Amino acid sequence: MHKSIPYGKQFISEEDINAVVESLKSDFLTQGPKITEFEKAFAEYVGSKYAIAVSNGTAALHLCTLALNVSEGDKVITTPITFAASANCVKYCGGEVVFADIDPKTYLIDYNKVEKLLESAPIGTYKGLVLVDFAGRAIDLEKFSLLAKKFNLWIIEDACHAPGGFYKDSNDEIQNCGNSKFADLAIFSFHPVKHIACGEGGMITTNDEKLYQKLLLLRTHGITKDASLLNENEGGWYYEMQILGYNYRLTDFQAALGLSQLKRADEGIIRRGEIAKTYADFFNNKEYIISQSGFVEGHAYHLYIIQTLKRKELYDFLRSKGIFCQVHYIPVHKLPYYKDLYKESKIFSESEKYYNNCLSLPMFPTLTKDEQEYVMFEIDNFFNA
Ligand SMILES: *Cc1c(COP(=O)(O)O)cnc(C)c1O
């Protein structure tokens, strides 16, 4: 009998532990030199100009909607198949979330449905797009950026699932998730289930200096001590709170952990790709599989998803075998908070079909060959019994 296998798991090495211990012995507990080092290394990793470390991915999203001045009644479009936080960041600022259905082939927001929404309303109705690299599959931001230009929208890329992911643009050039070439801002999470773990943690990346400066202020109460930014200067102690900000700082020892984990990020992506390839080949001709993530270039494989008509039965069966799969996600518009908010019950048929059938299989770099074979064997066993 195998010990239980979760769908995702962090990997903390001796090196990671040493990095944290070393940081704890330094003079800095909250923001110190490790933050700057982590930000620099992360910006380099994704290919963006700036990176701002924050306390978690949700705080990153909130700072983005604040920096983009989302306000009362502003309409923002996102996908129903994501973690609730992708939508909540709009609500935090009093905005209104409008969902557009997914493309059943990619499980990502459907470009054509977004275009239709935009074309069916006067220009200026919508303010922005929160686009999610769901499961780790890079969304074609170049294509969406043209739409954004035409309709005067900003773009936040929710890249929580996709550090290390990429797509190829119309010039066949590689565009890394979060490089902010075709988005105003991108965000990441360092929750243990994500690729890089800090315990809690998040990152915003951007190429826009103005947004970067504003995000720095917003991260720390809207307070600055930077002499070049002060309206007045009454002495060495003097600071100004210039806008209403928050305390969304990451600690230095968390940054030390993130930095150490980042060094293994490429290794992790390679291993995730191998696991995905094995699943893709195994399920390729199985008649009980309606659809699967498959093997896609540039996919970061945060999740590996299969779809089957017997999802619930399969989920329960695998649990009884110690295999703990998960469902990603309950469509956001079906969550009680959003259901109550939008009294008229909207139907997004592709998202709902997807939700009824989807299951995320174990996917993490330390999943052994033996464990993966056991997972595949038990799935086959369920359907052939
Ligand atoms: C995890 C996640 C978030 C939120 O990140 P936290 O660090 O948990 O706050 C936002 N969006 C997506 C798509 C996520 O997976």
Side-chain angles (χ1 to χ4, degrees), residues 66-338:
L66 286 166
L68 292 164
N69 296 317
V70 173
S71 52
E72 204 63 36
D74 283 359
K75 285 191 163 82
V76 175
I77 300 171
T78 194
T79 171
I81 302 300
T82 185
F83 184 56
S86 312
N88 293 350
C89 63
V90 176
K91 296 303 301 173
Y92 293 155
C93 295
E96 194 184 319
V97 182
V98 179
F99 295 102
D101 209 354
I102 60 164
D103 175 342
K105 287 192 286 297
T106 62
Y107 319 156
L108 304 178
I109 196 168
D110 186 333
Y111 174 89
N112 295 318
K113 295 205 172 113
V114 175
E115 189 179 38
K116 208 179 267 173
L117 262 180
L118 293 169
E119 281 175 347
S120 66
I123 207 157
T125 302
Y126 296 95
K127 303 290 186 214
L129 308 171
V130 179
L131 301 175
V132 184
D133 302 304
F134 173 67
R137 186 170 181 145
I139 194 160
D140 187 341
L141 285 172
E142 184 192 31
K143 201 169 161 194
F144 277 98
S145 74
L146 297 174
L147 208 53
K149 209 174 210 172
K150 184 170 165 198
F151 289 92
N152 198 20
L153 310 168
W154 48 254
I155 294 177
I156 298 173
E157 179 189 11
D158 181 340
C160 284
H161 295 181
F166 67 85
Y167 66 98
K168 285 190 174 158
D169 68 13
S170 55
N171 294 318
D172 215 31
E173 270 175 42
I174 285 181
Q175 298 295 339
N176 292 330
C177 294
N179 72 359
S180 296
K181 177 149 182 201
F182 296 109
D184 297 272
L185 297 159
I187 70 107
F188 295 86
S189 163
F190 307 126
H191 180 278
V193 95
K194 311 291 160 76
H195 293 201
I196 295 162
C198 288
E200 297 283 355
M203 193 73 82
I204 307 168
T205 54
T206 185
N207 293 332
D208 184 320
E209 206 211 324
K210 267 206 182 119
L211 285 174
Y212 172 66
Q213 293 297 347
K214 191 167 177 193
L215 288 164
L216 289 178
L217 262 182
L218 285 166
R219 175 175 67 178
T220 305
H221 310 281
I223 288 176
T224 183
K225 280 183 170 176
D226 183 340
S228 69
L229 299 175
L230 295 174
N231 296 311
E232 288 162 50
N233 197 344
E234 297 174 5
W237 68 87
Y238 189 72
Y239 60 84
E240 285 177 357
M241 187 192 125
Q242 298 178 331
I243 53 176
L244 185 62
Y246 295 78
N247 175 359
Y248 282 164
R249 290 187 296 264
L250 190 71
T251 66
D252 229 40
F253 54 95
Q254 285 173 308
L257 177 56
L259 197 55
S260 180
Q261 292 247 314
L262 184 59
K263 292 189 186 131
R264 291 200 309 277
D266 283 336
E267 247 170 78
I269 287 284
I270 289 168
R271 182 68 195 122
R272 285 172 189 273
E274 287 167 359
I275 294 167
K277 183 91 177 50
T278 304
Y279 278 140
D281 289 346
F282 183 81
F283 292 119
N284 188 28
N285 285 313
K286 306 283 185 191
E287 78 293 343
Y288 54 79
I289 297 290
I290 304 173
S291 162
Q292 61 168 334
S293 290
F295 192 73
V296 178
E297 188 189 30
H299 200 307
Y301 291 108
H302 171 57
L303 303 172
Y304 195 91
I305 297 157
I306 58 168
Q307 290 188 55
T308 152
L309 292 176
K310 288 198 171 165
R311 191 273 310 279
K312 184 170 190 314
E313 294 87 340
L314 176 62
Y315 171 88
D316 290 336
F317 175 81
L318 292 175
R319 268 185 88 106
S320 77
K321 299 289 180 186
I323 301 164
F324 293 85
C325 294
Q326 187 52 279
V327 167
H328 296 94
Y329 290 94
I330 302 167
V332 180
H333 68 279
K334 289 175 78 94
L335 299 171
Y337 169 79
Y338 283 99

